[in-house]
Amino acid sequence: MNKLLDLLRGDTEADRVVPPTGFTVLLTLASSAAMAFLAVFVLALALSAGRQASAWEDALSDTATVRISAPADELEAQANAVETILAQTPGVGATHRLTADEQAQLLAPWFGEELPLDTLRLPILIEVSLDGEGPDPQGLRQRFAAEAPGAVFDDHGRWRAPMIDAASGLKTISLIALLLIVAVTGVTIALAASAALAANGQVIDVLRLVGAEDSYITRAFVRRFTLRTLIGAIGGTVVGLIAVALIPNVSLDGAVSDVGLRGFEWLLPFLVPVGAAMLAFGATRFAATRRLAEVS
Amino acid sequence: MMQKQCDMNDVPAIELHNAAMSYGGRTLFRDVGITLAQGSFHFLTGPSGAGKTTLMKLCYGALRPTEGRVSVFGEDTGHMSRDEIARMRRNVGVVHQDCQFVDHLSVSENVLLPVKVSGAVAEDLDANLSELMGWVGLTNLADHRPAELSGGERQRAALARAVILSPDVILADEPTGNVDWEMSLKILNLLIELNRLGKTVLCATHDMSLIRQAKTRVSARVLRLRGTSIELAGAEL
Ligand SMILES: Nc1ncnc2c1ncn2[C@@H]1O[C@H](COP(=O)(O)OP(=O)(O)OP(=O)(O)O)[C@@H](O)[C@H]1O
Ligand SMILES: [Mg+2]
């Protein structure tokens, strides 16, 4: 890091010695800008997916539902039995039997407000809030089977679990994509630097002939490529941030829809140019060291 | 410090010890032992392809001998690190056979390169530079690009660059390579002046008239590459 700062302070004399080599300037600027843009996007995606996954995970562990469907004469007894069992089960917090009004509200979106509930035989729904890890669903189901055969324990996990997996998968893939972006950026800059070093073979020979140490020559090239990459990456990051900010923020329940950055996450993309500069520093040094090994 | 100074004066500027050089199995020379005492003037001659440039490169650590060793002021180049080689070259000015400039820099910037890469903070740099440019007769061409110079002007610019750090040794590889007689004499004069200032000079050339001319003015020895060995050429020159 110190070396990096020294480098930015710079030695303009050494800069003059290395001529600007046309296409590598553009290659470095453009590729670092593009990669920074992608990196910001993928970073936002990874953070969003991670956020979604943990939100779902939290929602998952919060509540469960017990649904009791039984012949009318047994319904009330089974519901009472369920409430007794729940009260004895560790991991179960408060329970709440949904009233007829609440059930009507739940069903209204599908059947309209005017639903004649009393003419329908509805199951009884008990909302259960869970403590910690929640109850052991297997044990609970066994007790229900014995004492309230019409009760079904639904911990919401059956349908949410795959979505959590999907969201975590998305996060993992985003992080892999980020690694690939880092790798491709590193290789691109190393190649651009190699091309520049090769194009300046004569300059390097002369510098060695007149007594330049390797570090002098390396510095001249490294400084140039690090600065170019930094500039390109800052550009790409800014455009990427604007793009992320412009993604409409629709919060559809249960879908990865709010791709974007929240709160302190807005600071993370600023690491992208810094990381790119460090990458360029390493890649160019690597290229220069390899090249100089061929010069006596 | 004094002790070291005394010792240093006895050490040859450059010494080859049983040095052999071959490129991919083809031996250019072997068992070469030469000693360039400090302040001496040597010519290195021999037919084209004999290995004059190669021997020069051994002397400034651009090549290492396949056998034997090369010492610069008593230090074995084979044991020097790359940085030590670089620093050694600041005390061994080289006029490369094809000069070698940084094309996009001006002549004076090229001449100043050794100062820049050494990081030396030289006072009176501008004065020294213009004196040096005057000495080699390139004052008017200081701001030109190397590509705009004639052969003789390039050689003199290369010589100016080789001596700007005031090195103790000057290695000049065919400094009169493609210039006319008059210009050859001018360049020879510069080398003789440097030698009179106490610098060790090794000059590769196949121009016998130049050597004969020099011998009337300095006590120069002539090393001749012949076959795979080197000999001290005698009076037949
Ligand atoms: N890097 C190299 N690899 C292989 N062979 C080489 C290399 N450099 C020089 N040679 C060969 O070694 C021989 C001597 O080359 P060198 O340049 O030392 O000769 P020279 O005496 O300086 O010739 P000239 O008078 O033409 O400058 C030549 O035959 C050349 O082809
Ligand atoms: Mg030669």
Side-chain angles (χ1 to χ4, degrees):
Chain A
M1 200 64 199
N2 268 341
K3 274 187 183 162
L4 206 68
L5 289 179
D6 271 354
L7 202 74
L8 297 182
R9 227 167 283 126
D11 171 2
T12 43
E13 290 292 358
D15 269 10
R16 284 266 301 132
V17 172
V18 182
T21 36
F23 83 96
T24 62
V25 182
L26 219 70
L27 180 61
T28 316
L29 275 174
S31 62
S32 57
M35 289 300 174
F37 180 85
L38 287 178
V40 169
F41 245 123
V42 169
L43 194 65
L45 195 59
L47 290 168
S48 306
R51 204 164 49 227
Q52 197 77 73
S54 59
W56 281 339
E57 230 155 35
D58 288 349
L60 176 76
S61 52
D62 271 343
T63 60
T65 312
V66 182
R67 190 178 68 247
I68 306 136
S69 355
D73 50 334
E74 287 172 33
L75 195 58
E76 187 61 27
Q78 285 204 17
N80 290 337
V82 165
E83 277 174 333
T84 315
I85 293 169
L86 287 174
Q88 296 164 348
T89 310
V92 172
T95 59
H96 169 63
R97 190 190 293 203
L98 262 61
T99 62
D101 281 351
E102 286 168 333
Q103 291 211 12
Q105 259 172 25
L106 273 181
L107 294 174
W110 284 275
F111 302 108
E113 304 283 351
E114 302 304 309
L115 191 66
L117 270 186
D118 21 336
T119 64
L120 280 172
R121 241 170 23 103
L122 285 179
I124 289 180
L125 292 178
I126 300 176
E127 237 178 45
V128 181
S129 62
L130 306 177
D131 288 342
E133 295 280 289
D136 162 33
Q138 225 36 50
L140 206 56
R141 282 185 192 119
Q142 273 167 17
R143 283 198 68 183
F144 284 168
E147 298 171 40
V152 177
F153 179 69
D154 176 2
D155 60 5
H156 302 181
R158 270 182 314 204
W159 64 275
R160 270 207 174 119
M163 291 180 72
I164 293 167
D165 286 349
S168 330
L170 194 57
K171 184 181 164 187
T172 311
I173 291 172
S174 307
L175 291 178
I176 292 171
L178 206 56
L179 282 182
L180 287 177
I181 288 172
V182 168
V184 170
T185 310
V187 170
T188 310
I189 294 168
L191 285 178
S194 290
L197 286 155
N200 286 297
Q202 159 93 346
V203 175
I204 294 171
D205 287 347
V206 173
L207 290 176
R208 279 298 294 178
L209 184 71
V210 300
E213 289 170 10
D214 288 348
S215 56
Y216 179 92
I217 301 168
T218 305
R219 220 165 32 233
F221 283 91
V222 166
R223 177 178 145 77
R224 206 164 259 201
F225 279 88
T226 305
L227 281 180
R228 272 181 211 160
T229 304
L230 184 65
I231 291 167
I234 288 175
T237 301
V238 168
V239 176
L241 281 173
I242 293 173
V244 169
L246 288 181
I247 297 176
N249 189 7
V250 203
S251 248
L252 286 176
D253 194 33
V256 186
S257 56
D258 62 336
V259 174
L261 300 164
R262 302 281 170 271
F264 85 96
E265 288 174 2
W266 283 102
L267 295 178
L268 289 179
F270 290 98
L271 293 177
V272 169
V274 177
M278 286 166 71
L279 192 63
F281 179 80
T284 314
R285 266 173 75 103
F286 172 76
T289 308
R290 274 177 51 131
R291 173 73 200 178
L292 282 168
E294 295 164 12
V295 182
S296 55
Chain B
M1 196 60 204
M2 267 321 278
Q3 182 62 38
K4 190 168 183 212
Q5 205 65 50
C6 287
D7 287 345
M8 280 307 284
N9 285 336
D10 297 337
V11 175
I14 291 180
E15 201 173 17
L16 274 71
H17 227 67
N18 293 329
M21 192 64 207
S22 43
Y23 287 117
R26 189 178 136 240
T27 302
L28 277 185
F29 48 78
R30 66 165 69 91
D31 284 332
V32 167
I34 57 177
T35 302
L36 308 187
Q38 291 187 44
S40 64
F41 196 126
H42 285 82
F43 282 103
L44 177 61
T45 187
S48 190
K52 299 183 293 296
T53 298
T54 302
L55 197 143
M56 288 270 183
K57 286 183 174 173
L58 291 181
C59 294
Y60 62 91
L63 288 174
R64 286 182 179 164
T66 41
E67 275 169 51
R69 61 186 164 78
V70 177
S71 307
V72 180
F73 289 101
E75 291 240 22
D76 189 341
T77 60
H79 294 154
M80 290 186 193
S81 68
R82 287 177 65 84
D83 283 355
E84 283 167 340
I85 295 269
R87 287 192 287 271
M88 175 267 277
R89 285 178 190 166
R90 297 172 195 167
N91 194 31
V92 177
V94 179
V95 180
H96 199 275
Q97 185 161 12
D98 33 55
C99 298
Q100 291 212 332
F101 295 106
V102 175
D103 295 328
H104 68 279
L105 298 181
S106 70
V107 171
S108 58
E109 283 173 316
N110 267 285
V111 169
L112 281 174
L113 268 184
V115 181
K116 290 196 176 150
V117 304
S118 73
V121 267
E123 294 164 32
D124 313 326
L125 192 57
D126 289 343
N128 285 341
L129 178 66
S130 57
E131 195 187 335
L132 188 56
M133 295 300 275
W135 180 65
V136 294
L138 292 178
T139 306
N140 296 331
L141 298 171
D143 295 329
H144 286 233
R145 305 273 134 163
E148 298 162 4
L149 301 187
S150 74
E153 287 158 353
R154 284 170 71 82
Q155 296 290 357
R156 283 178 287 148
L159 184 59
R161 185 181 65 191
V163 301
I164 190 150
L165 286 176
S166 192
D168 291 321
V169 182
I170 317 290
L171 303 176
D173 193 357
E174 312 255 14
T176 61
N178 39 23
V179 300
D180 64 16
W181 178 243
E182 209 172 314
M183 184 55 69
S184 297
L185 285 184
K186 273 190 192 164
I187 293 170
L188 177 66
N189 281 342
L190 296 175
L191 290 173
I192 290 175
E193 272 185 60
L194 288 167
N195 182 242
R196 294 210 168 120
L197 290 171
K199 318 254 179 231
T200 311
V201 178
L202 175 61
C203 173
T205 182
H206 40 223
D207 185 344
M208 290 305 152
S209 344
L210 191 74
I211 296 176
R212 276 192 290 271
Q213 178 67 32
K215 289 192 90 165
T216 65
R217 315 214 2 234
V218 285
S219 59
R221 292 174 179 240
V222 182
L223 303 164
R224 179 165 27 197
L225 279 166
R226 174 178 275 180
T228 61
S229 59
I230 198 163
E231 59 187 22
L232 206 54
E236 81 273 12
L237 282 167

